[in-house]
Amino acid sequence: MEKIKLFFKEGKDFSKNIGIELMEVGYGYAKAKLKITEFHLNQAGVAHGGAVFTLADFAFAVASNSFGKVSLAINTSISFIHASKAGDVLIAEAKLVDESNRLATYEVVVKNGEKKAAFFTGTVYKTKRDVLEEM
């Protein structure tokens, strides 16, 4: 599991460039955080939906690849519930909901303290390629 965590922590990933930090990884599970800064705000002065989506998508990617096989998103959806502002710290927690031989569905809850900022669902296609061979 540590190698999987390192793969996502040290990768050349867009999420790293915007400040997302990987906190925890387990089989079918991941937790990540993002401190909202002025960089993440939209024209309305709240966290841009793309920043919140990227946080949720990153947690989803880590959780779905945690079994060691490359898993690729085939469908995602997000609902934004409460807006976030500069200084807020968002935590995304991704969990496996169910899976078949080739598909797996995850849900990700993004929280700002006790408030739900967003709810994300995603389905992946599980390939036979090893994640660690991609390093």
Side-chain angles (χ1 to χ4, degrees):
M1 193 58 56
E2 281 304 310
K3 286 183 180 180
I4 297 288
K5 188 174 182 180
L6 183 64
F7 175 77
F8 282 97
K9 270 188 139 175
E10 302 301 321
K12 298 175 188 100
D13 192 79
F14 170 71
S15 57
K16 182 179 177 183
N17 292 322
I18 69 163
I20 293 173
E21 178 186 331
L22 181 58
M23 299 169 66
E24 296 177 38
V25 181
Y27 291 114
Y29 174 84
K31 186 188 258 189
K33 75 176 178 178
L34 173 64
K35 182 174 182 178
I36 301 299
T37 68
E38 294 291 323
F39 172 78
H40 302 106
L41 301 182
N42 63 20
Q43 298 310 105
V46 297
H48 192 286
V52 178
F53 183 92
T54 299
L55 173 62
D57 186 56
F58 177 75
F60 165 57
V62 176
S64 64
N65 283 275
S66 64
F67 295 99
K69 296 295 180 188
V70 173
S71 295
L72 304 168
I74 59 171
N75 185 53
T76 61
S77 174
I78 192 165
S79 296
F80 301 104
I81 302 165
H82 291 283
S84 303
K85 59 189 182 315
D88 289 345
V89 177
L90 301 181
I91 306 287
E93 194 169 18
K95 296 178 184 177
L96 174 64
V97 174
D98 206 351
E99 65 181 332
S100 65
N101 287 339
R102 284 299 199 203
L103 301 175
T105 300
Y106 290 78
E107 66 180 23
V108 183
V109 175
V110 180
K111 287 187 171 184
N112 179 10
E114 292 302 312
K115 278 188 176 179
K116 286 184 183 170
F119 182 74
F120 172 108
T121 57
T123 300
V124 293
Y125 174 76
K126 301 184 292 186
T127 74
K128 294 182 180 185
R129 295 179 6 227
D130 289 326
V131 169
L132 298 177
E133 288 180 9
E134 304 294 317
M135 291 179 84

